[in-house]
Amino acid sequence: MATTLFRTAPAMRAALRASSVKTGAAALGSTSFTRGKATLPDLSYDYGALEPYISGKIMELHHKGHHQTYVNGLNSALETIEEAKAKGDFNAAAAAAPLLNFNGGGHKNHTLFWENLAPHNKGGGGEPEGPLKSAIDKNFGSFNTLQQQINTALAGIQGSGWAWLVKDKTAGTLQVVTRPNQDPVTGNFVPLLGIDAWEHAYYLQYQNRKAEYFKAIWNVINWDTVAKRLEKA
C-alpha cells in the first residue's frame, strides 16, 4: 500500500503563517502533503480479511465511508486556504485551520492505521521479533506489558481518539501516547502503531463492549509494518 500522504502546499504554508492559526494546525504543518488533492488509499487486503476480529462491514464503512469523508474534508480545507491566500485574506485561511487539522489528521491517522493491519496468520497477529522486540522489552519490560499499557490508554480515552506506540526521536525511547479526536502525532514523536478508539471502528460488531475490540485487534496487527517504521524512525 502506498504510504505517501501529501506534500506541503503553498496554501498550507500561507495559513500557518497567519498569527491566529491554532496550535494543532501548526503541528499538522510539520507533516508532509502531496501536491494536488489527497485521495483514499487502497487496502492491501479485502474488507472481510480481518474477520472474525474486525467484520467486513465495519472495514467497508470505516474505509469507504469515514476515511473518504476525511479526505473530502481535507481537500475542501486546502481549497479554502488556497482561495484565501489568493485574496490575501489570512483571517479566512486561519479560520480553516481547525478543519485542516481535523480532516488532515483523520486522513493521516487512518492511512497509517490500515497499514498497521493484516489478516490473522497472514502477516497479522503474533508477537514482534528482532530489533522491535528488543526495543519493546527494553522500554516496557515485555510485549505483554506493552499490550496492557496500550489497552489501558485506549480504555481511558474520553470520547474519541487514538492510542499510539511512538518513538521519541530526542530520547530514543518508545512510549505510549494518546491523541484526542483526529489530532495527529507530530513533533519529536514518530508514530509506529496506532489503534483507533472511535466508535465507528468497532460499534457495529462490539457495541458498547469496546474492551473486547481492544483485545481482538491484536490478532490482526502487522508487526512487520511497525518494525519497518521503527527502522526508519
Side-chain angles (χ1 to χ4, degrees):
M1 180 190 304
T3 58
T4 302
L5 299 182
F6 25 81
R7 292 189 136 114
T8 305
M12 175 71 169
R13 295 195 296 271
L16 295 178
R17 284 196 297 268
S19 60
S20 57
V21 174
K22 298 185 182 294
T23 301
L28 184 59
S30 66
T31 63
S32 59
F33 287 74
T34 54
R35 298 186 185 280
K37 292 189 175 183
T39 58
L40 185 70
D42 293 330
L43 302 185
S44 62
Y45 42 82
D46 294 334
Y47 289 132
L50 305 185
E51 293 184 346
Y53 308 104
I54 303 178
S55 75
K57 185 62 174 178
I58 285 179
M59 288 296 299
E60 182 175 5
L61 288 173
H62 199 172
H63 180 249
K64 290 173 64 176
H66 292 281
H67 190 170
Q68 182 66 63
T69 298
Y70 296 124
V71 169
N72 295 343
L74 171 59
N75 288 327
S76 177
L78 288 171
E79 288 175 5
T80 297
I81 293 171
E82 184 67 39
E83 291 172 1
K85 177 202 169 193
K87 297 176 182 178
D89 188 349
F90 293 102
N91 287 331
L99 293 174
L100 185 64
N101 184 65
F102 181 75
N103 291 293
H107 177 42
K108 175 181 177 181
N109 292 341
H110 283 86
T111 299
L112 296 174
F113 181 60
W114 307 134
E115 295 171 356
N116 273 156
L117 304 176
H120 185 61
N121 290 331
K122 295 181 180 179
E127 298 188 10
E129 300 176 348
L132 175 59
K133 171 179 168 53
S134 298
I136 288 172
D137 289 346
K138 178 180 179 181
N139 288 274
F140 299 98
S142 69
F143 173 61
N144 286 338
T145 300
L146 171 63
Q147 283 184 308
Q148 291 170 10
Q149 287 194 21
I150 290 181
N151 284 354
T152 298
L154 287 164
I157 293 173
Q158 296 182 352
S160 302
W162 294 73
W164 294 91
L165 172 66
V166 301
K167 180 178 179 180
D168 185 326
K169 292 186 291 185
T170 300
T173 58
L174 302 187
Q175 301 179 32
V176 174
V177 301
T178 59
R179 292 291 181 269
N181 301 314
Q182 294 296 350
D183 286 1
V185 174
T186 59
N188 287 331
F189 291 148
V190 178
L192 305 178
L193 166 66
I195 297 180
D196 191 349
W198 281 64
E199 282 191 348
H200 63 233
Y202 64 85
Y203 200 83
L204 282 178
Q205 182 172 1
Y206 293 96
Q207 287 84 45
N208 63 333
R209 306 184 310 278
K210 61 182 180 181
E212 293 182 20
Y213 159 69
F214 299 152
K215 181 179 179 181
I217 198 170
W218 293 102
N219 291 285
V220 290
I221 295 296
N222 186 339
W223 291 111
D224 286 342
T225 297
V226 181
K228 289 176 183 177
R229 289 179 185 162
L230 177 62
E231 184 179 353
K232 295 177 181 179

